[in-house]
Amino acid sequence: MSDLYIPISLLAVIFTFVAFFYASVGLGGGSSYTALLAIFGANASIIPMVSLTLNILVTTIGSIAFLYKGHARFRLIAPFIATSIPAAYLGGMLQLPKVLFYFLLIVSLAFAAFRIYFSKDTKPLLLSNIKKVVLAIISGALLGFIAGVTGIGGGVYLVPLVILLGLGTAKEAAACGAFFIWVNSVSGLLARIQYNSIDIDNYVPLIVGAMIGGFAGSLLGAGRFQPQTMEKILGSILVVAVLLLGKKVFVLVS
Protein backbone atom coordinates (compact mmCIF):
# COMPACT_ATOMS: atom_id res chain seq x y z
CA MET A 1 0.00 0.00 0.00
CA SER A 2 3.05 2.28 -0.27
CA ASP A 3 1.55 3.84 -3.39
CA LEU A 4 -1.24 5.51 -1.39
CA TYR A 5 -1.45 9.29 -1.47
CA ILE A 6 -2.60 9.41 2.17
CA PRO A 7 -1.57 7.51 5.34
CA ILE A 8 -3.26 4.11 5.54
CA SER A 9 -4.41 4.96 9.06
CA LEU A 10 -6.45 7.88 7.68
CA LEU A 11 -7.90 5.70 4.92
CA ALA A 12 -8.84 3.13 7.60
CA VAL A 13 -10.82 5.82 9.43
CA ILE A 14 -12.63 6.72 6.20
CA PHE A 15 -13.40 3.05 5.57
CA THR A 16 -14.81 2.75 9.09
CA PHE A 17 -17.42 5.41 8.36
CA VAL A 18 -18.18 4.00 4.90
CA ALA A 19 -18.67 0.50 6.33
CA PHE A 20 -20.88 1.88 9.11
CA PHE A 21 -23.24 3.69 6.76
CA TYR A 22 -23.44 0.85 4.25
CA ALA A 23 -23.95 -1.81 6.93
CA SER A 24 -26.65 0.32 8.57
CA VAL A 25 -28.82 -0.10 5.48
CA GLY A 26 -27.83 -3.70 4.68
CA LEU A 27 -25.30 -2.93 1.93
CA GLY A 28 -21.75 -4.15 1.41
CA GLY A 29 -20.02 -1.07 0.04
CA GLY A 30 -17.60 -2.80 -2.31
CA SER A 31 -18.04 -0.17 -5.01
CA SER A 32 -17.07 2.60 -2.57
CA TYR A 33 -14.07 0.68 -1.19
CA THR A 34 -12.85 0.11 -4.74
CA ALA A 35 -13.47 3.73 -5.68
CA LEU A 36 -11.64 5.09 -2.62
CA LEU A 37 -8.65 2.83 -3.18
CA ALA A 38 -8.48 3.96 -6.79
CA ILE A 39 -8.84 7.63 -5.84
CA PHE A 40 -6.03 7.47 -3.28
CA GLY A 41 -3.60 5.68 -5.58
CA ALA A 42 -3.62 2.03 -4.49
CA ASN A 43 -1.90 -0.36 -6.86
CA ALA A 44 -4.27 -1.89 -9.42
CA SER A 45 -3.31 -5.42 -8.35
CA ILE A 46 -4.13 -4.62 -4.71
CA ILE A 47 -7.57 -3.06 -5.16
CA PRO A 48 -9.68 -6.16 -5.95
CA MET A 49 -8.21 -8.25 -3.12
CA VAL A 50 -8.74 -5.53 -0.50
CA SER A 51 -12.28 -4.79 -1.68
CA LEU A 52 -13.26 -8.46 -1.81
CA THR A 53 -11.94 -8.97 1.73
CA LEU A 54 -13.88 -5.99 3.05
CA ASN A 55 -17.01 -7.12 1.20
CA ILE A 56 -16.85 -10.45 3.02
CA LEU A 57 -16.42 -8.83 6.42
CA VAL A 58 -19.24 -6.30 6.06
CA THR A 59 -21.80 -8.57 4.39
CA THR A 60 -21.27 -11.53 6.73
CA ILE A 61 -23.24 -9.79 9.47
CA GLY A 62 -25.92 -8.66 7.03
CA SER A 63 -26.30 -12.14 5.57
CA ILE A 64 -26.70 -13.70 9.02
CA ALA A 65 -29.26 -11.04 9.98
CA PHE A 66 -31.36 -11.65 6.86
CA LEU A 67 -31.22 -15.41 7.41
CA TYR A 68 -32.27 -14.99 11.03
CA LYS A 69 -35.23 -12.80 10.06
CA GLY A 70 -36.36 -15.24 7.37
CA HIS A 71 -35.94 -12.96 4.35
CA ALA A 72 -33.47 -15.19 2.49
CA ARG A 73 -34.86 -17.43 -0.26
CA PHE A 74 -32.46 -19.94 -1.75
CA ARG A 75 -34.67 -20.64 -4.76
CA LEU A 76 -34.55 -16.95 -5.63
CA ILE A 77 -30.78 -16.57 -5.44
CA ALA A 78 -29.82 -20.03 -6.80
CA PRO A 79 -29.88 -19.16 -10.57
CA PHE A 80 -27.71 -16.11 -9.95
CA ILE A 81 -25.03 -17.77 -7.82
CA ALA A 82 -24.93 -20.93 -9.94
CA THR A 83 -23.00 -18.98 -12.57
CA SER A 84 -21.63 -16.09 -10.50
CA ILE A 85 -19.45 -18.25 -8.21
CA PRO A 86 -17.37 -19.86 -11.00
CA ALA A 87 -17.33 -16.57 -12.93
CA ALA A 88 -16.03 -14.71 -9.86
CA TYR A 89 -13.32 -17.35 -9.44
CA LEU A 90 -12.35 -16.96 -13.09
CA GLY A 91 -12.23 -13.17 -12.74
CA GLY A 92 -10.07 -13.51 -9.64
CA MET A 93 -7.56 -15.61 -11.57
CA LEU A 94 -6.97 -12.88 -14.13
CA GLN A 95 -4.23 -10.29 -13.81
CA LEU A 96 -5.34 -7.64 -16.29
CA PRO A 97 -3.05 -4.95 -17.70
CA LYS A 98 -3.34 -1.74 -15.69
CA VAL A 99 -5.09 0.25 -18.45
CA LEU A 100 -7.63 -2.53 -19.10
CA PHE A 101 -8.29 -2.94 -15.38
CA TYR A 102 -8.91 0.77 -14.91
CA PHE A 103 -11.15 0.88 -17.98
CA LEU A 104 -13.29 -2.00 -16.68
CA LEU A 105 -13.37 -0.35 -13.26
CA ILE A 106 -14.50 2.98 -14.75
CA VAL A 107 -17.33 1.29 -16.66
CA SER A 108 -18.44 -0.65 -13.57
CA LEU A 109 -18.39 2.41 -11.31
CA ALA A 110 -20.17 4.52 -13.92
CA PHE A 111 -22.99 1.98 -14.18
CA ALA A 112 -23.23 1.82 -10.39
CA ALA A 113 -23.42 5.62 -10.13
CA PHE A 114 -26.04 5.74 -12.89
CA ARG A 115 -28.12 3.13 -11.09
CA ILE A 116 -27.94 5.11 -7.84
CA TYR A 117 -28.74 8.55 -9.23
CA PHE A 118 -30.91 8.00 -12.26
CA SER A 119 -32.75 4.68 -12.01
CA LYS A 120 -36.38 4.98 -10.97
CA ASP A 121 -38.79 2.50 -9.47
CA THR A 122 -40.28 0.46 -12.28
CA LYS A 123 -42.92 -2.20 -12.54
CA PRO A 124 -41.72 -5.82 -12.82
CA LEU A 125 -41.13 -7.06 -16.34
CA LEU A 126 -43.79 -9.35 -17.75
CA LEU A 127 -41.63 -12.35 -18.62
CA SER A 128 -42.15 -16.07 -18.44
CA ASN A 129 -40.48 -17.96 -15.61
CA ILE A 130 -38.06 -19.58 -18.06
CA LYS A 131 -36.94 -16.19 -19.42
CA LYS A 132 -36.47 -14.89 -15.88
CA VAL A 133 -34.25 -17.84 -15.01
CA VAL A 134 -32.21 -17.38 -18.19
CA LEU A 135 -31.69 -13.68 -17.43
CA ALA A 136 -30.72 -14.55 -13.86
CA ILE A 137 -28.14 -17.08 -15.08
CA ILE A 138 -26.61 -14.66 -17.61
CA SER A 139 -26.56 -11.67 -15.27
CA GLY A 140 -25.14 -13.81 -12.46
CA ALA A 141 -22.19 -14.81 -14.61
CA LEU A 142 -21.53 -11.21 -15.70
CA LEU A 143 -21.75 -9.75 -12.21
CA GLY A 144 -19.67 -12.56 -10.74
CA PHE A 145 -16.91 -11.98 -13.27
CA ILE A 146 -16.91 -8.24 -12.53
CA ALA A 147 -16.74 -9.00 -8.81
CA GLY A 148 -13.71 -11.22 -9.25
CA VAL A 149 -11.84 -8.77 -11.47
CA THR A 150 -12.65 -5.43 -9.81
CA GLY A 151 -13.73 -6.26 -6.25
CA ILE A 152 -17.21 -4.80 -6.71
CA GLY A 153 -19.60 -7.34 -5.18
CA GLY A 154 -22.46 -6.63 -7.57
CA GLY A 155 -25.18 -6.06 -4.99
CA VAL A 156 -25.85 -2.56 -6.28
CA TYR A 157 -26.89 -4.15 -9.59
CA LEU A 158 -28.51 -7.33 -8.31
CA VAL A 159 -31.02 -5.84 -5.85
CA PRO A 160 -32.90 -3.72 -8.44
CA LEU A 161 -32.63 -6.58 -10.95
CA VAL A 162 -34.43 -8.96 -8.58
CA ILE A 163 -37.22 -6.42 -8.14
CA LEU A 164 -37.37 -5.64 -11.87
CA LEU A 165 -37.80 -9.33 -12.69
CA GLY A 166 -40.49 -9.62 -10.04
CA LEU A 167 -38.61 -12.38 -8.23
CA GLY A 168 -39.07 -11.08 -4.69
CA THR A 169 -39.88 -8.24 -2.31
CA ALA A 170 -37.50 -5.40 -1.43
CA LYS A 171 -36.34 -7.19 1.73
CA GLU A 172 -35.88 -10.46 -0.13
CA ALA A 173 -33.91 -8.62 -2.81
CA ALA A 174 -31.70 -7.05 -0.12
CA ALA A 175 -31.13 -10.47 1.43
CA CYS A 176 -30.14 -11.81 -2.00
CA GLY A 177 -27.81 -8.86 -2.52
CA ALA A 178 -25.98 -9.43 0.77
CA PHE A 179 -25.53 -13.16 0.14
CA PHE A 180 -24.64 -12.60 -3.53
CA ILE A 181 -21.88 -10.17 -2.55
CA TRP A 182 -20.59 -12.60 0.08
CA VAL A 183 -20.33 -15.71 -2.11
CA ASN A 184 -18.83 -13.83 -5.04
CA SER A 185 -16.29 -12.11 -2.82
CA VAL A 186 -15.26 -15.42 -1.25
CA SER A 187 -14.93 -17.06 -4.67
CA GLY A 188 -12.96 -14.18 -6.18
CA LEU A 189 -10.72 -13.86 -3.12
CA LEU A 190 -9.91 -17.59 -3.10
CA ALA A 191 -8.73 -17.34 -6.69
CA ARG A 192 -6.63 -14.27 -5.98
CA ILE A 193 -5.00 -15.89 -2.95
CA GLN A 194 -4.03 -18.87 -5.12
CA TYR A 195 -2.79 -16.99 -8.15
CA ASN A 196 -1.55 -13.69 -6.71
CA SER A 197 0.87 -12.93 -3.91
CA ILE A 198 0.15 -10.09 -1.50
CA ASP A 199 1.29 -9.12 1.99
CA ILE A 200 -1.90 -8.98 4.07
CA ASP A 201 -0.12 -7.09 6.85
CA ASN A 202 -0.08 -4.01 4.68
CA TYR A 203 -3.84 -3.51 4.79
CA VAL A 204 -4.79 -4.87 8.22
CA PRO A 205 -5.81 -1.33 9.33
CA LEU A 206 -8.43 -1.26 6.56
CA ILE A 207 -9.79 -4.64 7.65
CA VAL A 208 -10.01 -3.50 11.27
CA GLY A 209 -11.73 -0.27 10.26
CA ALA A 210 -14.29 -2.06 8.10
CA MET A 211 -14.99 -4.61 10.84
CA ILE A 212 -15.60 -1.90 13.43
CA GLY A 213 -17.75 0.16 11.09
CA GLY A 214 -19.70 -2.82 9.76
CA PHE A 215 -20.39 -4.21 13.22
CA ALA A 216 -21.43 -0.84 14.63
CA GLY A 217 -23.59 -0.05 11.61
CA SER A 218 -25.39 -3.38 11.81
CA LEU A 219 -26.09 -3.05 15.53
CA LEU A 220 -26.62 0.69 16.02
CA GLY A 221 -27.64 2.06 12.66
CA ALA A 222 -30.19 -0.50 11.48
CA GLY A 223 -33.38 1.19 10.42
CA ARG A 224 -32.18 4.73 11.13
CA PHE A 225 -31.12 5.63 7.61
CA GLN A 226 -32.98 5.53 4.33
CA PRO A 227 -31.08 3.28 1.86
CA GLN A 228 -31.79 5.64 -1.05
CA THR A 229 -30.37 8.63 0.82
CA MET A 230 -27.21 6.84 1.92
CA GLU A 231 -26.66 5.37 -1.53
CA LYS A 232 -26.78 8.82 -3.11
CA ILE A 233 -24.44 10.35 -0.55
CA LEU A 234 -21.88 7.59 -0.84
CA GLY A 235 -22.49 7.36 -4.60
CA SER A 236 -20.71 10.70 -4.93
CA ILE A 237 -17.52 8.75 -4.26
CA LEU A 238 -18.16 6.77 -7.42
CA VAL A 239 -18.59 9.91 -9.53
CA VAL A 240 -15.31 11.35 -8.27
CA ALA A 241 -13.56 8.03 -8.86
CA VAL A 242 -14.82 7.82 -12.45
CA LEU A 243 -13.48 11.29 -13.20
CA LEU A 244 -10.09 10.71 -11.57
CA LEU A 245 -9.65 7.27 -13.10
CA GLY A 246 -10.62 8.65 -16.49
CA LYS A 247 -7.82 11.17 -16.15
CA LYS A 248 -5.40 8.43 -15.05
CA VAL A 249 -6.26 6.23 -18.04
CA PHE A 250 -5.82 9.20 -20.39
CA VAL A 251 -2.32 9.80 -18.97
CA LEU A 252 -1.40 6.12 -19.27
CA VAL A 253 -2.43 5.79 -22.91
CA SER A 254 -1.12 9.17 -24.05
Side-chain angles (χ1 to χ4, degrees):
M1 304 297 281
S2 58
D3 295 331
L4 289 175
Y5 303 149
I6 63 173
I8 192 170
S9 57
L10 177 57
L11 186 58
V13 172
I14 296 173
F15 273 30
T16 301
F17 284 100
V18 171
F20 172 82
F21 287 123
Y22 269 107
S24 70
V25 294
L27 301 172
S31 55
S32 287
Y33 303 136
T34 302
L36 286 167
L37 288 168
I39 289 173
F40 292 118
N43 189 284
S45 63
I46 299 291
I47 293 175
M49 185 168 285
V50 175
S51 294
L52 291 171
T53 302
L54 299 182
N55 276 343
I56 294 170
L57 294 173
V58 176
T59 56
T60 294
I61 299 174
S63 298
I64 293 173
F66 280 121
L67 285 170
Y68 179 76
K69 293 179 181 179
H71 296 308
R73 288 174 51 198
F74 181 74
R75 289 183 62 184
L76 193 163
I77 192 66
F80 293 99
I81 64 174
T83 52
S84 71
I85 293 175
Y89 190 86
L90 175 61
M93 291 172 56
L94 300 179
Q95 189 68 47
L96 299 180
K98 183 181 294 186
V99 174
L100 181 57
F101 171 78
Y102 281 134
F103 177 78
L104 181 59
L105 186 56
I106 288 172
V107 173
S108 301
L109 295 177
F111 270 106
F114 180 85
R115 209 286 297 171
I116 290 172
Y117 286 108
F118 300 107
S119 65
K120 304 295 181 182
D121 293 333
T122 56
K123 295 181 179 179
L125 296 175
L126 299 177
L127 299 174
S128 66
N129 289 334
I130 294 179
K131 290 182 178 179
K132 289 180 180 180
V133 171
V134 171
L135 282 176
I137 290 173
I138 295 174
S139 58
L142 178 61
L143 295 180
F145 181 78
I146 293 175
V149 172
T150 66
I152 297 176
V156 70
Y157 307 115
L158 182 73
V159 172
L161 181 60
V162 169
I163 297 174
L164 183 63
L165 293 177
L167 297 174
T169 65
K171 289 186 178 180
E172 289 170 342
C176 284
F179 188 67
F180 186 79
I181 293 169
W182 191 86
V183 297
N184 288 335
S185 298
V186 169
S187 180
L189 185 60
L190 287 175
R192 289 195 169 274
I193 291 174
Q194 282 188 281
Y195 295 97
N196 299 276
S197 60
I198 184 173
D199 186 0
I200 193 171
D201 294 337
N202 290 331
Y203 60 94
V204 165
L206 302 184
I207 294 176
V208 173
M211 289 180 65
I212 294 173
F215 186 74
S218 297
L219 293 182
L220 303 178
R224 297 186 181 183
F225 304 102
Q226 291 295 323
Q228 296 82 1
T229 302
M230 295 313 306
E231 275 192 319
K232 289 181 180 179
I233 293 174
L234 296 171
S236 60
I237 297 173
L238 308 184
V239 176
V240 173
V242 169
L243 296 175
L244 293 180
L245 287 175
K247 180 180 178 180
K248 181 176 290 189
V249 170
F250 178 78
V251 172
L252 289 173
V253 299
S254 62

